[in-house]
Amino acid sequence: MAPPQSDQPDAAAGSGAISKVLIVIAMQTEALPLVNKFKLVDAPPHESTFPKGAPWIRYHGNYKGLHIDLVWPGKDPVLGVDSVGTVSAALVTYASIQMLKPDLIINAGTAGGFKAKGASIGDVFLASDAAFHDRRIPIPVFDMYGIGARKTLETPNMLKELNLKVGKLSTGDSLDMTPHDETAILNNDATVKDMEGAAVAYVADMFSTPAIFVKAVTDIVDGEKPTAEEFLQNLVAVTAALDQAVTEVVDFISGKCISDL
Ligand code: ADE
């Protein structure tokens, strides 16, 4: 009898080696060292992946038997700064999944960390869960939809092998933290706080694409220093730790199936 037909790629279904990895990164400073590390090249205009008008940028190439696409949402067309936050992250993730059909997504970036939960500057976390902290809808069930808590892909073997911390990730569209945010982040039991992860997780889940979240701590949110100042001060140094961790993650993934992770 013929095996049942499936429109899922083998690796996504858990059998067969992972071949296509999509790295989603919000900031150019975080992305470019990885572009160099993996020797990725700019996708030429005739290979254009994204609709005309979108500022999103894709680099691609082959590394250790994997095809890697690295996307970042580009610069805001008016203000010229990186398009950080959940809206751009969700859009570029959606378009990339549709066009590139990755077996696995890695959302990599910097994050704020809570020292009360064991985070220090330069730590790199693999998020076990992702949820939102700034979508407050105090109506039964809508409240849970707003928080949008979900588990990320479990990677027990990767955690055994690599020197990464594990913690829950909470996502919102602000770098700073209001008292409302703080309560919601504590309710999410989060150790790290970013501006994209839960949005990427939402889109990845929608299309049954396994996703992992690698987050490096640039600032201590429950510390003394103003967040923006500490973030900018540590961005370049912590990006080096992030890029090292992402390289180790990709090296670990090479030749493996989703179920081996
Ligand atoms: N990225 C780096 N630091 C952050 C913070 N404190 N909040 C949200 N995103 C961040």
PDB file of all heavy atoms in Angstrom, residues 160-194:
ATOM      1  N   LYS A 160      21.641  19.712  26.271  1.00  0.00           N
ATOM      2  CA  LYS A 160      22.655  18.896  26.942  1.00  0.00           C
ATOM      3  C   LYS A 160      24.034  19.236  26.403  1.00  0.00           C
ATOM      4  O   LYS A 160      25.012  19.276  27.127  1.00  0.00           O
ATOM      5  CB  LYS A 160      22.364  17.403  26.703  1.00  0.00           C
ATOM      6  CG  LYS A 160      21.752  16.725  27.911  1.00  0.00           C
ATOM      7  CD  LYS A 160      21.508  15.251  27.655  1.00  0.00           C
ATOM      8  CE  LYS A 160      20.016  14.964  27.601  1.00  0.00           C
ATOM      9  NZ  LYS A 160      19.661  13.749  26.898  1.00  0.00           N
ATOM     10  N   GLU A 161      24.093  19.479  25.092  1.00  0.00           N
ATOM     11  CA  GLU A 161      25.397  19.641  24.440  1.00  0.00           C
ATOM     12  C   GLU A 161      25.936  21.077  24.525  1.00  0.00           C
ATOM     13  O   GLU A 161      27.137  21.284  24.666  1.00  0.00           O
ATOM     14  CB  GLU A 161      25.254  19.240  22.966  1.00  0.00           C
ATOM     15  CG  GLU A 161      26.533  19.374  22.200  1.00  0.00           C
ATOM     16  CD  GLU A 161      26.923  18.106  21.490  1.00  0.00           C
ATOM     17  OE1 GLU A 161      26.498  17.016  21.920  1.00  0.00           O
ATOM     18  OE2 GLU A 161      27.666  18.227  20.504  1.00  0.00           O
ATOM     19  N   LEU A 162      25.048  22.062  24.433  1.00  0.00           N
ATOM     20  CA  LEU A 162      25.515  23.450  24.345  1.00  0.00           C
ATOM     21  C   LEU A 162      25.352  24.158  25.691  1.00  0.00           C
ATOM     22  O   LEU A 162      24.465  23.838  26.478  1.00  0.00           O
ATOM     23  CB  LEU A 162      24.748  24.204  23.251  1.00  0.00           C
ATOM     24  CG  LEU A 162      24.771  23.567  21.858  1.00  0.00           C
ATOM     25  CD1 LEU A 162      24.047  24.460  20.861  1.00  0.00           C
ATOM     26  CD2 LEU A 162      26.190  23.303  21.389  1.00  0.00           C
ATOM     27  N   ASN A 163      26.192  25.161  25.866  1.00  0.00           N
ATOM     28  CA  ASN A 163      26.197  25.872  27.144  1.00  0.00           C
ATOM     29  C   ASN A 163      25.191  27.037  27.118  1.00  0.00           C
ATOM     30  O   ASN A 163      25.588  28.196  27.102  1.00  0.00           O
ATOM     31  CB  ASN A 163      27.627  26.375  27.390  1.00  0.00           C
ATOM     32  CG  ASN A 163      27.779  26.963  28.761  1.00  0.00           C
ATOM     33  OD1 ASN A 163      27.035  26.591  29.676  1.00  0.00           O
ATOM     34  ND2 ASN A 163      28.699  27.894  28.908  1.00  0.00           N
ATOM     35  N   LEU A 164      23.915  26.684  27.064  1.00  0.00           N
ATOM     36  CA  LEU A 164      22.881  27.719  27.001  1.00  0.00           C
ATOM     37  C   LEU A 164      21.999  27.622  28.235  1.00  0.00           C
ATOM     38  O   LEU A 164      21.751  26.524  28.731  1.00  0.00           O
ATOM     39  CB  LEU A 164      22.009  27.523  25.757  1.00  0.00           C
ATOM     40  CG  LEU A 164      22.730  27.602  24.415  1.00  0.00           C
ATOM     41  CD1 LEU A 164      21.830  27.123  23.280  1.00  0.00           C
ATOM     42  CD2 LEU A 164      23.194  29.027  24.153  1.00  0.00           C
ATOM     43  N   LYS A 165      21.532  28.771  28.697  1.00  0.00           N
ATOM     44  CA  LYS A 165      20.569  28.753  29.798  1.00  0.00           C
ATOM     45  C   LYS A 165      19.166  28.560  29.224  1.00  0.00           C
ATOM     46  O   LYS A 165      18.944  28.818  28.039  1.00  0.00           O
ATOM     47  CB  LYS A 165      20.639  30.060  30.575  1.00  0.00           C
ATOM     48  CG  LYS A 165      21.952  30.227  31.368  1.00  0.00           C
ATOM     49  CD  LYS A 165      21.868  31.431  32.299  1.00  0.00           C
ATOM     50  CE  LYS A 165      22.983  31.416  33.311  1.00  0.00           C
ATOM     51  NZ  LYS A 165      22.884  32.520  34.275  1.00  0.00           N
ATOM     52  N   VAL A 166      18.229  28.151  30.049  1.00  0.00           N
ATOM     53  CA  VAL A 166      16.838  27.981  29.612  1.00  0.00           C
ATOM     54  C   VAL A 166      15.957  28.901  30.441  1.00  0.00           C
ATOM     55  O   VAL A 166      16.159  29.023  31.653  1.00  0.00           O
ATOM     56  CB  VAL A 166      16.334  26.539  29.830  1.00  0.00           C
ATOM     57  CG1 VAL A 166      14.967  26.347  29.201  1.00  0.00           C
ATOM     58  CG2 VAL A 166      17.303  25.536  29.263  1.00  0.00           C
ATOM     59  N   GLY A 167      14.999  29.547  29.788  1.00  0.00           N
ATOM     60  CA  GLY A 167      14.063  30.391  30.525  1.00  0.00           C
ATOM     61  C   GLY A 167      12.894  30.754  29.634  1.00  0.00           C
ATOM     62  O   GLY A 167      12.940  30.552  28.419  1.00  0.00           O
ATOM     63  N   LYS A 168      11.856  31.295  30.259  1.00  0.00           N
ATOM     64  CA  LYS A 168      10.690  31.718  29.476  1.00  0.00           C
ATOM     65  C   LYS A 168      10.917  33.132  28.947  1.00  0.00           C
ATOM     66  O   LYS A 168      11.558  33.957  29.614  1.00  0.00           O
ATOM     67  CB  LYS A 168       9.429  31.664  30.337  1.00  0.00           C
ATOM     68  CG  LYS A 168       9.075  30.242  30.737  1.00  0.00           C
ATOM     69  CD  LYS A 168       7.760  30.185  31.489  1.00  0.00           C
ATOM     70  CE  LYS A 168       7.479  28.748  31.915  1.00  0.00           C
ATOM     71  NZ  LYS A 168       6.243  28.618  32.676  1.00  0.00           N
ATOM     72  N   LEU A 169      10.361  33.380  27.774  1.00  0.00           N
ATOM     73  CA  LEU A 169      10.522  34.657  27.080  1.00  0.00           C
ATOM     74  C   LEU A 169       9.191  35.408  27.079  1.00  0.00           C
ATOM     75  O   LEU A 169       8.142  34.817  26.790  1.00  0.00           O
ATOM     76  CB  LEU A 169      10.962  34.372  25.635  1.00  0.00           C
ATOM     77  CG  LEU A 169      11.011  35.545  24.657  1.00  0.00           C
ATOM     78  CD1 LEU A 169      12.094  36.549  25.067  1.00  0.00           C
ATOM     79  CD2 LEU A 169      11.297  35.035  23.237  1.00  0.00           C
ATOM     80  N   SER A 170       9.246  36.697  27.381  1.00  0.00           N
ATOM     81  CA  SER A 170       8.044  37.528  27.301  1.00  0.00           C
ATOM     82  C   SER A 170       8.305  38.657  26.312  1.00  0.00           C
ATOM     83  O   SER A 170       9.372  39.276  26.319  1.00  0.00           O
ATOM     84  CB  SER A 170       7.711  38.085  28.688  1.00  0.00           C
ATOM     85  OG  SER A 170       6.403  38.612  28.699  1.00  0.00           O
ATOM     86  N   THR A 171       7.330  38.910  25.455  1.00  0.00           N
ATOM     87  CA  THR A 171       7.519  39.840  24.331  1.00  0.00           C
ATOM     88  C   THR A 171       6.540  41.008  24.421  1.00  0.00           C
ATOM     89  O   THR A 171       5.359  40.818  24.736  1.00  0.00           O
ATOM     90  CB  THR A 171       7.280  39.087  22.998  1.00  0.00           C
ATOM     91  OG1 THR A 171       8.233  38.041  22.878  1.00  0.00           O
ATOM     92  CG2 THR A 171       7.392  40.014  21.799  1.00  0.00           C
ATOM     93  N   GLY A 172       7.049  42.199  24.133  1.00  0.00           N
ATOM     94  CA  GLY A 172       6.190  43.380  24.045  1.00  0.00           C
ATOM     95  C   GLY A 172       6.823  44.375  23.093  1.00  0.00           C
ATOM     96  O   GLY A 172       7.985  44.218  22.711  1.00  0.00           O
ATOM     97  N   ASP A 173       6.083  45.421  22.745  1.00  0.00           N
ATOM     98  CA  ASP A 173       6.598  46.353  21.736  1.00  0.00           C
ATOM     99  C   ASP A 173       7.362  47.527  22.323  1.00  0.00           C
ATOM    100  O   ASP A 173       7.585  48.508  21.612  1.00  0.00           O
ATOM    101  CB  ASP A 173       5.449  46.832  20.840  1.00  0.00           C
ATOM    102  CG  ASP A 173       5.293  45.924  19.635  1.00  0.00           C
ATOM    103  OD1 ASP A 173       6.288  45.767  18.895  1.00  0.00           O
ATOM    104  OD2 ASP A 173       4.211  45.343  19.447  1.00  0.00           O
ATOM    105  N   SER A 174       7.776  47.422  23.578  1.00  0.00           N
ATOM    106  CA  SER A 174       8.551  48.515  24.180  1.00  0.00           C
ATOM    107  C   SER A 174       9.853  47.991  24.751  1.00  0.00           C
ATOM    108  O   SER A 174       9.906  46.874  25.286  1.00  0.00           O
ATOM    109  CB  SER A 174       7.757  49.176  25.308  1.00  0.00           C
ATOM    110  OG  SER A 174       6.533  49.681  24.815  1.00  0.00           O
ATOM    111  N   LEU A 175      10.893  48.832  24.646  1.00  0.00           N
ATOM    112  CA  LEU A 175      12.178  48.471  25.248  1.00  0.00           C
ATOM    113  C   LEU A 175      12.104  48.638  26.763  1.00  0.00           C
ATOM    114  O   LEU A 175      12.663  47.849  27.519  1.00  0.00           O
ATOM    115  CB  LEU A 175      13.297  49.353  24.664  1.00  0.00           C
ATOM    116  CG  LEU A 175      14.707  48.996  25.108  1.00  0.00           C
ATOM    117  CD1 LEU A 175      15.181  47.710  24.432  1.00  0.00           C
ATOM    118  CD2 LEU A 175      15.685  50.123  24.820  1.00  0.00           C
ATOM    119  N   ASP A 176      11.414  49.674  27.192  1.00  0.00           N
ATOM    120  CA  ASP A 176      11.325  49.899  28.641  1.00  0.00           C
ATOM    121  C   ASP A 176      10.203  49.038  29.230  1.00  0.00           C
ATOM    122  O   ASP A 176       9.598  48.225  28.527  1.00  0.00           O
ATOM    123  CB  ASP A 176      11.130  51.392  28.948  1.00  0.00           C
ATOM    124  CG  ASP A 176       9.788  51.907  28.446  1.00  0.00           C
ATOM    125  OD1 ASP A 176       8.988  51.109  27.903  1.00  0.00           O
ATOM    126  OD2 ASP A 176       9.507  53.112  28.593  1.00  0.00           O
ATOM    127  N   MET A 177       9.915  49.237  30.503  1.00  0.00           N
ATOM    128  CA  MET A 177       8.945  48.368  31.170  1.00  0.00           C
ATOM    129  C   MET A 177       8.079  49.192  32.116  1.00  0.00           C
ATOM    130  O   MET A 177       8.586  49.763  33.083  1.00  0.00           O
ATOM    131  CB  MET A 177       9.707  47.286  31.949  1.00  0.00           C
ATOM    132  CG  MET A 177       8.825  46.258  32.611  1.00  0.00           C
ATOM    133  SD  MET A 177       9.778  44.881  33.279  1.00  0.00           S
ATOM    134  CE  MET A 177      10.619  45.660  34.644  1.00  0.00           C
ATOM    135  N   THR A 178       6.786  49.277  31.830  1.00  0.00           N
ATOM    136  CA  THR A 178       5.866  49.970  32.730  1.00  0.00           C
ATOM    137  C   THR A 178       5.520  49.018  33.888  1.00  0.00           C
ATOM    138  O   THR A 178       5.739  47.801  33.779  1.00  0.00           O
ATOM    139  CB  THR A 178       4.555  50.317  32.004  1.00  0.00           C
ATOM    140  OG1 THR A 178       3.915  49.078  31.646  1.00  0.00           O
ATOM    141  CG2 THR A 178       4.796  51.144  30.741  1.00  0.00           C
ATOM    142  N   PRO A 179       4.958  49.553  34.978  1.00  0.00           N
ATOM    143  CA  PRO A 179       4.527  48.652  36.057  1.00  0.00           C
ATOM    144  C   PRO A 179       3.530  47.590  35.564  1.00  0.00           C
ATOM    145  O   PRO A 179       3.580  46.441  35.993  1.00  0.00           O
ATOM    146  CB  PRO A 179       3.872  49.607  37.069  1.00  0.00           C
ATOM    147  CG  PRO A 179       4.548  50.927  36.823  1.00  0.00           C
ATOM    148  CD  PRO A 179       4.825  50.982  35.346  1.00  0.00           C
ATOM    149  N   HIS A 180       2.649  47.970  34.631  1.00  0.00           N
ATOM    150  CA  HIS A 180       1.716  46.983  34.053  1.00  0.00           C
ATOM    151  C   HIS A 180       2.466  45.855  33.368  1.00  0.00           C
ATOM    152  O   HIS A 180       2.143  44.677  33.520  1.00  0.00           O
ATOM    153  CB  HIS A 180       0.822  47.652  32.988  1.00  0.00           C
ATOM    154  CG  HIS A 180      -0.464  48.142  33.527  1.00  0.00           C
ATOM    155  ND1 HIS A 180      -0.857  49.461  33.425  1.00  0.00           N
ATOM    156  CD2 HIS A 180      -1.464  47.499  34.169  1.00  0.00           C
ATOM    157  CE1 HIS A 180      -2.041  49.605  33.985  1.00  0.00           C
ATOM    158  NE2 HIS A 180      -2.429  48.435  34.442  1.00  0.00           N
ATOM    159  N   ASP A 181       3.481  46.257  32.561  1.00  0.00           N
ATOM    160  CA  ASP A 181       4.284  45.247  31.856  1.00  0.00           C
ATOM    161  C   ASP A 181       4.951  44.321  32.858  1.00  0.00           C
ATOM    162  O   ASP A 181       4.982  43.102  32.681  1.00  0.00           O
ATOM    163  CB  ASP A 181       5.394  45.903  31.017  1.00  0.00           C
ATOM    164  CG  ASP A 181       4.865  46.617  29.783  1.00  0.00           C
ATOM    165  OD1 ASP A 181       3.693  46.412  29.428  1.00  0.00           O
ATOM    166  OD2 ASP A 181       5.642  47.386  29.175  1.00  0.00           O
ATOM    167  N   GLU A 182       5.505  44.938  33.911  1.00  0.00           N
ATOM    168  CA  GLU A 182       6.258  44.134  34.883  1.00  0.00           C
ATOM    169  C   GLU A 182       5.367  43.058  35.509  1.00  0.00           C
ATOM    170  O   GLU A 182       5.764  41.894  35.619  1.00  0.00           O
ATOM    171  CB  GLU A 182       6.856  45.041  35.974  1.00  0.00           C
ATOM    172  CG  GLU A 182       7.751  44.267  36.910  1.00  0.00           C
ATOM    173  CD  GLU A 182       8.592  45.171  37.813  1.00  0.00           C
ATOM    174  OE1 GLU A 182       8.295  46.382  37.881  1.00  0.00           O
ATOM    175  OE2 GLU A 182       9.527  44.653  38.431  1.00  0.00           O
ATOM    176  N   THR A 183       4.147  43.457  35.878  1.00  0.00           N
ATOM    177  CA  THR A 183       3.215  42.469  36.453  1.00  0.00           C
ATOM    178  C   THR A 183       2.945  41.348  35.457  1.00  0.00           C
ATOM    179  O   THR A 183       2.964  40.158  35.807  1.00  0.00           O
ATOM    180  CB  THR A 183       1.880  43.170  36.809  1.00  0.00           C
ATOM    181  OG1 THR A 183       2.182  44.259  37.670  1.00  0.00           O
ATOM    182  CG2 THR A 183       0.910  42.232  37.479  1.00  0.00           C
ATOM    183  N   ALA A 184       2.723  41.733  34.193  1.00  0.00           N
ATOM    184  CA  ALA A 184       2.399  40.717  33.178  1.00  0.00           C
ATOM    185  C   ALA A 184       3.605  39.806  32.913  1.00  0.00           C
ATOM    186  O   ALA A 184       3.449  38.595  32.722  1.00  0.00           O
ATOM    187  CB  ALA A 184       1.951  41.401  31.893  1.00  0.00           C
ATOM    188  N   ILE A 185       4.799  40.387  32.918  1.00  0.00           N
ATOM    189  CA  ILE A 185       6.007  39.581  32.673  1.00  0.00           C
ATOM    190  C   ILE A 185       6.201  38.579  33.819  1.00  0.00           C
ATOM    191  O   ILE A 185       6.531  37.415  33.584  1.00  0.00           O
ATOM    192  CB  ILE A 185       7.237  40.496  32.501  1.00  0.00           C
ATOM    193  CG1 ILE A 185       7.110  41.315  31.216  1.00  0.00           C
ATOM    194  CG2 ILE A 185       8.522  39.676  32.478  1.00  0.00           C
ATOM    195  CD1 ILE A 185       8.150  42.426  31.077  1.00  0.00           C
ATOM    196  N   LEU A 186       5.964  39.059  35.044  1.00  0.00           N
ATOM    197  CA  LEU A 186       6.073  38.147  36.196  1.00  0.00           C
ATOM    198  C   LEU A 186       5.017  37.051  36.101  1.00  0.00           C
ATOM    199  O   LEU A 186       5.289  35.885  36.379  1.00  0.00           O
ATOM    200  CB  LEU A 186       5.942  38.922  37.514  1.00  0.00           C
ATOM    201  CG  LEU A 186       7.117  39.860  37.820  1.00  0.00           C
ATOM    202  CD1 LEU A 186       6.857  40.666  39.095  1.00  0.00           C
ATOM    203  CD2 LEU A 186       8.431  39.073  37.950  1.00  0.00           C
ATOM    204  N   ASN A 187       3.804  37.428  35.668  1.00  0.00           N
ATOM    205  CA  ASN A 187       2.756  36.404  35.483  1.00  0.00           C
ATOM    206  C   ASN A 187       3.155  35.398  34.407  1.00  0.00           C
ATOM    207  O   ASN A 187       2.771  34.230  34.464  1.00  0.00           O
ATOM    208  CB  ASN A 187       1.419  37.047  35.101  1.00  0.00           C
ATOM    209  CG  ASN A 187       0.775  37.737  36.289  1.00  0.00           C
ATOM    210  OD1 ASN A 187       1.126  37.447  37.442  1.00  0.00           O
ATOM    211  ND2 ASN A 187      -0.142  38.665  36.026  1.00  0.00           N
ATOM    212  N   ASN A 188       3.913  35.864  33.416  1.00  0.00           N
ATOM    213  CA  ASN A 188       4.394  34.947  32.365  1.00  0.00           C
ATOM    214  C   ASN A 188       5.580  34.108  32.853  1.00  0.00           C
ATOM    215  O   ASN A 188       6.073  33.274  32.107  1.00  0.00           O
ATOM    216  CB  ASN A 188       4.821  35.726  31.113  1.00  0.00           C
ATOM    217  CG  ASN A 188       3.636  36.285  30.338  1.00  0.00           C
ATOM    218  OD1 ASN A 188       2.511  35.833  30.531  1.00  0.00           O
ATOM    219  ND2 ASN A 188       3.885  37.255  29.463  1.00  0.00           N
ATOM    220  N   ASP A 189       6.049  34.404  34.075  1.00  0.00           N
ATOM    221  CA  ASP A 189       7.176  33.666  34.672  1.00  0.00           C
ATOM    222  C   ASP A 189       8.442  33.783  33.803  1.00  0.00           C
ATOM    223  O   ASP A 189       9.242  32.854  33.706  1.00  0.00           O
ATOM    224  CB  ASP A 189       6.763  32.190  34.842  1.00  0.00           C
ATOM    225  CG  ASP A 189       7.744  31.413  35.699  1.00  0.00           C
ATOM    226  OD1 ASP A 189       8.414  32.044  36.535  1.00  0.00           O
ATOM    227  OD2 ASP A 189       7.858  30.186  35.519  1.00  0.00           O
ATOM    228  N   ALA A 190       8.608  34.961  33.178  1.00  0.00           N
ATOM    229  CA  ALA A 190       9.687  35.107  32.191  1.00  0.00           C
ATOM    230  C   ALA A 190      11.014  35.473  32.843  1.00  0.00           C
ATOM    231  O   ALA A 190      11.065  36.197  33.836  1.00  0.00           O
ATOM    232  CB  ALA A 190       9.308  36.170  31.177  1.00  0.00           C
ATOM    233  N   THR A 191      12.085  34.997  32.234  1.00  0.00           N
ATOM    234  CA  THR A 191      13.447  35.361  32.632  1.00  0.00           C
ATOM    235  C   THR A 191      14.023  36.386  31.667  1.00  0.00           C
ATOM    236  O   THR A 191      14.886  37.171  32.031  1.00  0.00           O
ATOM    237  CB  THR A 191      14.341  34.098  32.634  1.00  0.00           C
ATOM    238  OG1 THR A 191      13.725  33.111  33.439  1.00  0.00           O
ATOM    239  CG2 THR A 191      15.740  34.386  33.149  1.00  0.00           C
ATOM    240  N   VAL A 192      13.549  36.337  30.422  1.00  0.00           N
ATOM    241  CA  VAL A 192      14.037  37.289  29.418  1.00  0.00           C
ATOM    242  C   VAL A 192      12.861  37.967  28.720  1.00  0.00           C
ATOM    243  O   VAL A 192      11.777  37.396  28.592  1.00  0.00           O
ATOM    244  CB  VAL A 192      14.973  36.611  28.383  1.00  0.00           C
ATOM    245  CG1 VAL A 192      16.367  36.421  28.946  1.00  0.00           C
ATOM    246  CG2 VAL A 192      14.430  35.295  27.878  1.00  0.00           C
ATOM    247  N   LYS A 193      13.150  39.175  28.234  1.00  0.00           N
ATOM    248  CA  LYS A 193      12.116  40.043  27.661  1.00  0.00           C
ATOM    249  C   LYS A 193      12.646  40.586  26.343  1.00  0.00           C
ATOM    250  O   LYS A 193      13.747  41.132  26.301  1.00  0.00           O
ATOM    251  CB  LYS A 193      11.887  41.163  28.671  1.00  0.00           C
ATOM    252  CG  LYS A 193      11.243  42.424  28.191  1.00  0.00           C
ATOM    253  CD  LYS A 193      11.206  43.451  29.333  1.00  0.00           C
ATOM    254  CE  LYS A 193      10.473  44.711  28.910  1.00  0.00           C
ATOM    255  NZ  LYS A 193      11.205  45.532  27.948  1.00  0.00           N
ATOM    256  N   ASP A 194      11.863  40.397  25.274  1.00  0.00           N
ATOM    257  CA  ASP A 194      12.316  40.923  23.975  1.00  0.00           C
ATOM    258  C   ASP A 194      11.173  41.653  23.281  1.00  0.00           C
ATOM    259  O   ASP A 194      10.134  41.922  23.898  1.00  0.00           O
ATOM    260  CB  ASP A 194      12.906  39.797  23.098  1.00  0.00           C
ATOM    261  CG  ASP A 194      11.816  38.974  22.424  1.00  0.00           C
ATOM    262  OD1 ASP A 194      10.636  39.041  22.852  1.00  0.00           O
ATOM    263  OD2 ASP A 194      12.134  38.260  21.456  1.00  0.00           O
TER     264      ASP A 194
END
